[in-house]
Amino acid sequence: MKTSGKTTLSEMAKNTSLYFRIVEGRSLPAKDVSGTSDPYCIVKVDNEVVARTATVWKNLNPFWGEEYTLHLPMGFHSLSFYVMDEDTIGHDDVIGKISLSKDSIGAQAKGLDNWLNLTRVDPDEEVQGEIHLGLELLRDAKRIGLRCHFIEARDLAPRDISGTSDPFARILFNNHSAETSIIKKTRYPHWSETLELELENRELTEGGSVTVEVWDWDMVGKNDFLGKVEIPFACLHKTPLLQGWFRLLPLGNHEDDAGGKLGALRLKVRLVEDLILPSMYYQPLIDLLVESVISPAEVEDSSPLTMLEEVTTVESRQDVAMTLVKIYLGQGLVVPFLDYLSTREVNHTSDPNTLFRSNSLASKAMEQFMKAVGMLYLHEVLKPIINRIFEEKKYIELDPCKIDLNRTRRISFKGAVSEAELRESSVEMLQGYLSSIVESIVGSVAQCPPVMRVAFKQLHKRVEEQFPEPENEDVKYLAISGFFFLRFFAPAILTPKLFHLRDQHADTRTSRTLLLLAKAVQSVGNLGLQLGHGKELWMEPLHPIILCSVASVKDFLDKLIDIDQDSVSEVPQRAVFLPSVTVKEGYLQKHKAEGPQLLSRFAFKKRYFWLSSETLSYAKTLDPWQVRSSIPIQCVCVVERVDENAFQQQHVMQVVTQDNDGQMHTIYIQCKNVNELNQWLSAIRKASIYNERMLPSFHPGAYRSGKWTCCLQANRTTLGCSRTHSAVTLGDWSDPLDPDAETQTIYKQLLQGRDKLRKQYVEAETTTEEEKRLNSGLLPDGTDSSRQLLKHRQAAAARLLGVVLDLEQAHATFQQREREEASSLILTP
């Protein structure tokens, strides 16, 4: 942490998070001879594929409902959605695209939620990459001219069937032009050529722009456009020598939405950009939050946490709750934090039937806490059963109004099945699934994270103190099971994809089975107390097994909280899980780097991989006796994709490590699909995010036959030809803790609610406020302590608002410096 001296712009960080949800499509054109299509979506950020939805077969109005969050610290330029038609033979067809610029997304304060027409895909608009060049205006007694030094380019669009291009560059000004040589079969050309254009005196006073274009040379047919850079000629008068990396731009043709003939997508997109100040500026706010839970105020509603809850909207409460959970996890105080909120809620509840039933900050915080620290535990408990349900795809239905006997004929070898037979088989299968789920949960005490157990122990204690009566004996169980079953396990059963239990959403048949099971698990969590009181009387056949499980659930909850609190020491941490915990595992294909060069399809061998925050290890099988090879995470310096043409294989990534002697070692790993690739890239990047050895560049190809397949350089140790993306990750429960970014989120909430706090606590006259509270019965009538309590609240609010004001002023100062620095740059490459 910086404690003294002037803080510079370089010490700040920009946090860019992009949330998008692909909801559904409508009126898509038919691409198949059957008169329909098999649509799926590919999502690109700056031409890099970040997600692929499931394929919806034979449907012109598909529903996907898939959502993603991306963390993009380096920012981005555009977000594109491509709708494709999957073909089992040949290449998939492109139906259309939607492209959104960062500026257009950012202009929507609350995000974009709309139907957007698909546009045709124009090859001249599908450009990517950057070019490194120097441009100099020559003016001396002998000559007047433009000198352009073409150094290199990177990440150019692949235009040839081989996945590469044959690029050359061209400079144009007025009627003058010159071209570089052609570098064949690369997207990372190194030209190192200098071209000059001779100009006349009169041209120095003309306006216009110097244009640099990049093209893909084709022996047959016309050349393909790869992008352009336009530099106003006036800039060269002010800065005679410009040098740097310049982003390639499209021709700028107007995108035609074809009048909606290509169909439309319903999208939800939201961009969150924050300027993160150095840590020292956030410390006063963190100190106030810590003080709230370790030294609670005598006046209950005058802590920063209670004031924060007052100004938090229902829509933002979940995000605020998760942010607070992460802040207190980082401080090693998450249990006191949850205990503080729970105690407040319990003490304010008179009817035990309403305890934690609202979406209060206490309820949301406990819910987000379970997701943060218990996701791996949930996977261990539920994943085998969820996988079995997906694989078996049974047709199960109990509701007489929804039974479709026509569907049962497909699964029966005996002809038609009666409604009674279907209900009987459905009950039998649901009982089997439900028994497996309950048995797995009640047998999982040892797997449950200790910090979760301690938090529930504290909750049990507070509820028992508030409701000690014999008739409320079950309340202390219901408080825990309400969170454990109703807000954790049941939602995961209902939508496994949102909890990363499955890569895709369930089909209609499996979704119905999961819904029925989620309802049953909720009843288990309610200890069967509400059975028979609802409208869904057709669930009655499951009541016996639900009631039979109540005793085992109570016994499980008793064992769950039977833990010595002192044995669980909370310490400040950087991640939500312990270093030794496996955060991701599964079978992947590892490239066999040793020995003679093999054909690509034989060079990758199946291996089982495990990832923790300490090691990436792998073995031939899952068997415990198998010898594991391990890569220390602290040695990782690059985690990136590999170009398809490196091995003629898709979905390959590389992990580059540096040993203590400075030697580089690369392991190539192939995933099944683009989503699995992105998940592994993100997981390894998060594990290595604090490494000091991370490199700024890498080779997206492989070193084969004496040269790099990407940039064609012969020197194996030459610097990488592409920029790394090591900080780009998928947002989920495993995000590393970032106290500065998290405190910035809380500051923004308080800033939005500042006027409300000021009006309620500071600006109102004491007598007026006092009268309101006296009339409402909140303060004892006729006592001097009422005024003291009000003054105490006012002082606490003023202190909090003072911290918010200091942060606001710090942001204003840094933003002014940023504007001054930007205005001093005539052109930003």
Side-chain angles (χ1 to χ4, degrees):
M1 182 191 302
K2 188 177 176 69
T3 56
S4 62
K6 185 177 179 180
T7 309
T8 63
L9 285 172
S10 61
E11 292 176 287
M12 294 189 304
K14 273 195 174 178
N15 258 25
T16 302
S17 293
L18 184 63
Y19 161 85
F20 56 90
R21 185 167 194 253
I22 307 161
V23 185
E24 58 187 320
R26 72 180 178 196
S27 305
L28 300 181
K31 288 289 185 178
D32 300 337
V33 292
S34 59
T36 183
S37 291
D38 305 313
Y40 66 92
C41 290
I42 285 177
V43 187
K44 292 184 179 182
V45 172
D46 291 347
N47 294 98
E48 185 155 315
V49 179
V50 296
R52 182 205 193 274
T53 69
T55 300
V56 181
W57 302 99
K58 300 188 185 324
N59 199 318
L60 299 180
N61 298 285
F63 177 83
W64 288 289
E66 298 194 22
E67 57 188 72
Y68 301 86
T69 300
L70 282 177
H71 299 309
L72 303 155
M74 302 302 291
F76 70 104
H77 297 287
S78 65
L79 172 69
S80 300
F81 301 85
Y82 294 79
V83 180
M84 311 290 291
D85 169 52
E86 183 165 338
D87 289 330
T88 52
I89 300 175
H91 293 288
D92 295 348
D93 300 318
V94 181
I95 293 175
K97 69 174 278 194
I98 293 168
S99 190
L100 302 170
S101 69
K102 177 186 172 184
D103 291 340
S104 66
I105 300 170
Q108 305 283 336
K110 294 186 177 180
L112 180 145
D113 181 358
N114 211 344
W115 283 97
L116 298 173
N117 285 343
L118 292 164
T119 63
R120 294 187 179 88
V121 175
D122 181 353
D124 288 340
E125 299 300 301
E126 301 295 299
V127 304
Q128 64 187 70
E130 300 169 301
I131 185 167
H132 189 192
L133 54 82
L135 192 60
E136 183 178 6
L137 179 59
L138 304 172
R139 285 186 291 187
D140 54 38
K142 295 181 180 179
R143 58 182 173 169
I144 299 171
L146 273 175
R147 175 184 293 162
C148 188
H149 183 201
F150 290 91
I151 305 169
E152 59 186 318
R154 61 189 178 197
D155 300 313
L156 299 179
R159 289 290 192 245
D160 299 337
I161 196 169
S162 62
T164 63
S165 289
D166 304 318
F168 68 93
R170 176 188 297 155
I171 180 171
L172 305 100
F173 180 67
N174 287 345
N175 294 320
H176 310 283
S177 67
E179 295 179 356
T180 67
S181 58
I182 300 165
I183 310 293
K184 292 190 175 181
K185 298 189 185 318
T186 181
R187 295 172 51 230
Y188 303 85
H190 283 251
W191 288 292
S192 296
E193 294 182 31
T194 300
L195 304 178
E196 291 190 9
L197 301 179
E198 290 189 10
L199 305 181
E200 298 179 12
N201 259 322
R202 60 178 176 79
E203 292 180 284
L204 291 178
T205 59
E206 292 183 5
S209 296
V210 179
T211 302
V212 173
E213 297 177 343
V214 184
W215 292 82
D216 166 51
W217 177 82
D218 283 334
M219 181 179 292
V220 179
K222 67 174 186 176
N223 298 330
D224 300 312
F225 180 70
L226 293 176
K228 69 175 182 177
V229 175
E230 290 189 342
I231 300 169
F233 192 64
C235 290
L236 292 170
H237 285 292
K238 298 176 183 177
T239 308
L241 176 61
L242 288 173
Q243 184 166 321
W245 284 96
F246 295 82
R247 177 172 165 246
L248 292 170
L249 300 174
L251 279 175
N253 295 337
H254 177 67
E255 290 189 346
D256 178 20
D257 70 1
K261 293 179 181 177
L262 298 178
L265 285 185
R266 186 182 168 205
L267 301 173
K268 291 185 179 182
V269 185
R270 188 175 76 250
L271 174 66
V272 178
E273 280 193 299
D274 280 322
L275 184 68
I276 309 299
L277 302 175
S279 301
M280 59 180 288
Y281 291 94
Y282 296 109
Q283 196 58 46
L285 182 52
I286 289 179
D287 290 343
L288 282 180
L289 293 173
V290 168
E291 187 182 296
S292 294
V293 300
I294 63 174
S295 303
E298 293 179 8
V299 183
E300 193 178 83
D301 60 352
S302 64
S303 81
L305 279 177
T306 54
M307 294 182 190
L308 176 63
E309 182 168 17
E310 286 183 20
V311 299
T312 301
T313 62
V314 175
E315 295 79 17
S316 64
R317 191 159 293 158
Q318 181 165 302
D319 289 339
V320 170
M322 177 56 94
T323 303
L324 288 171
V325 165
K326 289 190 169 186
I327 287 174
Y328 286 104
L329 273 171
Q331 296 293 320
L333 293 169
V334 73
V335 171
F337 160 65
L338 294 170
D339 186 40
Y340 172 84
L341 292 181
S342 298
T343 301
R344 275 190 80 244
E345 179 120 347
V346 170
N347 291 344
H348 281 81
T349 304
S350 56
D351 181 0
N353 294 316
T354 63
L355 186 61
F356 296 117
R357 295 298 181 181
S358 67
N359 285 322
S360 63
L361 186 59
S363 298
K364 285 296 182 183
M366 185 66 83
E367 185 180 317
Q368 297 306 309
F369 162 71
M370 291 189 295
K371 288 182 181 179
V373 304
M375 195 66 81
L376 296 172
Y377 160 63
L378 179 135
H379 282 208
E380 193 173 354
V381 173
L382 287 185
K383 198 162 190 176
I385 305 159
I386 296 295
N387 286 344
R388 179 156 62 94
I389 294 169
F390 269 75
E391 289 160 8
E392 292 179 353
K393 291 186 178 179
K394 302 286 188 183
Y395 177 62
I396 295 175
E397 186 53 77
L398 297 181
D399 186 351
C401 299
K402 294 186 177 180
I403 288 178
D404 182 359
L405 294 178
N406 291 325
R407 297 177 68 180
T408 64
R409 295 192 183 103
R410 301 174 192 170
I411 61 168
S412 173
F413 295 103
K414 301 177 182 178
V417 175
S418 68
E419 184 174 320
E421 289 173 324
L422 174 62
R423 281 176 55 80
E424 184 180 342
S425 66
S426 295
V427 169
E428 185 179 339
M429 287 184 284
L430 283 173
Q431 286 176 337
Y433 289 143
L434 184 59
S435 296
S436 297
I437 290 171
V438 173
E439 286 171 13
S440 185
I441 292 173
V442 300
S444 67
V445 172
Q447 293 106 295
C448 186
V451 69
M452 272 181 73
R453 297 177 63 184
V454 171
F456 285 135
K457 181 175 183 175
Q458 285 296 103
L459 176 60
H460 179 275
K461 177 184 174 183
R462 302 303 181 195
V463 174
E464 194 170 40
E465 290 171 348
Q466 179 72 2
F467 302 104
E469 302 84 7
E471 63 268 24
N472 291 326
E473 171 67 21
D474 284 338
V475 177
K476 59 180 180 288
Y477 292 113
L478 287 166
I480 301 173
S481 64
F483 286 116
F484 214 64
F485 287 86
L486 275 66
R487 292 179 182 251
F488 193 45
F489 284 112
I493 293 167
L494 182 63
T495 51
K497 185 179 186 296
L498 298 185
F499 287 76
H500 304 282
L501 287 164
R502 298 288 297 187
D503 289 335
Q504 304 291 349
H505 285 297
D507 58 28
T508 305
R509 176 178 291 189
T510 306
S511 290
R512 183 60 182 169
T513 301
L514 295 174
L515 174 61
L516 295 171
L517 283 171
K519 288 176 182 290
V521 169
Q522 285 180 328
S523 296
V524 171
N526 284 322
L527 305 181
L529 297 177
Q530 298 178 7
L531 293 181
H533 297 296
K535 298 178 181 178
E536 298 171 342
L537 298 179
W538 40 265
M539 289 285 286
E540 190 174 337
L542 293 180
H543 291 181
I545 190 172
I546 292 171
L547 292 172
C548 286
S549 67
V550 171
S552 61
V553 167
K554 286 185 176 180
D555 182 59
F556 162 70
L557 295 176
D558 285 333
K559 291 177 181 175
L560 194 72
I561 62 172
D562 184 15
I563 183 171
D564 182 5
Q565 189 164 343
D566 296 333
S567 68
V568 182
S569 58
E570 279 200 270
V571 294
Q573 57 193 76
R574 283 181 165 182
V576 297
F577 40 79
L578 297 173
S580 58
V581 171
T582 299
V583 295
K584 192 164 183 62
E585 60 184 296
Y587 276 108
L588 300 170
Q589 301 284 334
K590 176 188 172 292
H591 185 257
K592 181 178 171 59
E594 308 82 15
Q597 292 286 336
L598 301 172
L599 291 173
S600 295
R601 61 179 175 173
F602 299 119
F604 286 87
K605 300 295 181 183
K606 190 176 182 180
R607 295 290 182 267
Y608 198 87
F609 281 78
W610 296 264
L611 173 68
S612 73
S613 59
E614 293 180 333
T615 59
L616 175 66
S617 55
Y618 57 92
K620 286 186 176 180
T621 65
L622 263 167
D623 298 326
W625 51 265
Q626 279 281 354
V627 177
R628 290 193 189 185
S629 300
S630 292
I631 300 169
I633 289 296
Q634 64 182 14
C635 296
V636 172
C637 52
V638 168
V639 187
E640 295 292 339
R641 289 174 171 80
V642 177
D643 274 355
E644 289 182 23
N645 68 312
F647 299 104
Q648 282 72 53
Q649 296 286 330
Q650 292 183 317
H651 317 312
V652 177
M653 66 177 176
Q654 57 179 307
V655 179
V656 182
T657 56
Q658 187 175 24
D659 61 26
N660 293 329
D661 297 326
Q663 294 294 313
M664 298 290 188
H665 306 276
T666 305
I667 176 174
Y668 295 102
I669 303 168
Q670 186 179 27
C671 302
K672 292 193 297 288
N673 53 55
V674 69
N675 286 342
E676 185 179 67
L677 171 65
N678 284 320
Q679 289 162 12
W680 274 97
L681 282 170
S682 183
I684 302 173
R685 286 171 179 173
K686 288 178 184 179
S688 58
I689 199 165
Y690 296 110
N691 286 10
E692 296 178 355
R693 307 184 186 188
M694 303 306 288
L695 298 178
S697 62
F698 77 107
H699 287 285
Y703 192 81
R704 304 174 68 186
S705 304
K707 63 183 179 182
W708 287 100
T709 59
C710 44
C711 57
L712 310 181
Q713 299 296 297
N715 184 354
R716 186 164 197 159
T717 61
T718 192
L719 289 175
C721 55
S722 184
R723 285 191 300 178
T724 54
H725 306 82
S726 296
V728 177
T729 56
L730 293 169
D732 59 23
W733 59 272
S734 65
D735 287 348
L737 303 180
D738 187 342
D740 295 341
E742 290 145 11
T743 313
Q744 168 70 16
T745 300
I746 299 303
Y747 154 70
K748 285 170 62 180
Q749 282 292 321
L750 290 169
L751 187 65
Q752 290 174 9
R754 178 173 56 182
D755 291 342
K756 181 178 179 181
L757 287 177
R758 187 182 287 139
K759 185 176 181 181
Q760 182 169 338
Y761 288 99
V762 180
E763 293 178 351
E765 293 184 10
T766 305
T767 54
T768 305
E769 194 64 33
E770 180 186 343
E771 286 171 2
K772 290 180 182 177
R773 292 175 177 270
L774 285 170
N775 292 336
S776 63
L778 292 175
L779 295 175
D781 193 3
T783 63
D784 291 335
S785 62
S786 357
R787 292 184 179 84
Q788 293 175 352
L789 291 175
L790 287 169
K791 287 180 179 179
H792 189 95
R793 293 187 181 97
Q794 288 178 324
R799 186 181 173 199
L800 179 61
L801 290 170
V803 170
V804 172
L805 178 61
D806 290 343
L807 274 168
E808 184 182 29
Q809 291 173 342
H811 272 280
T813 300
F814 277 100
Q815 286 167 351
Q816 179 61 29
R817 285 191 209 168
E818 193 176 36
R819 284 192 293 268
E820 290 171 357
E821 186 177 281
S823 65
S824 67
L825 299 175
I826 297 172
L827 183 69
T828 302

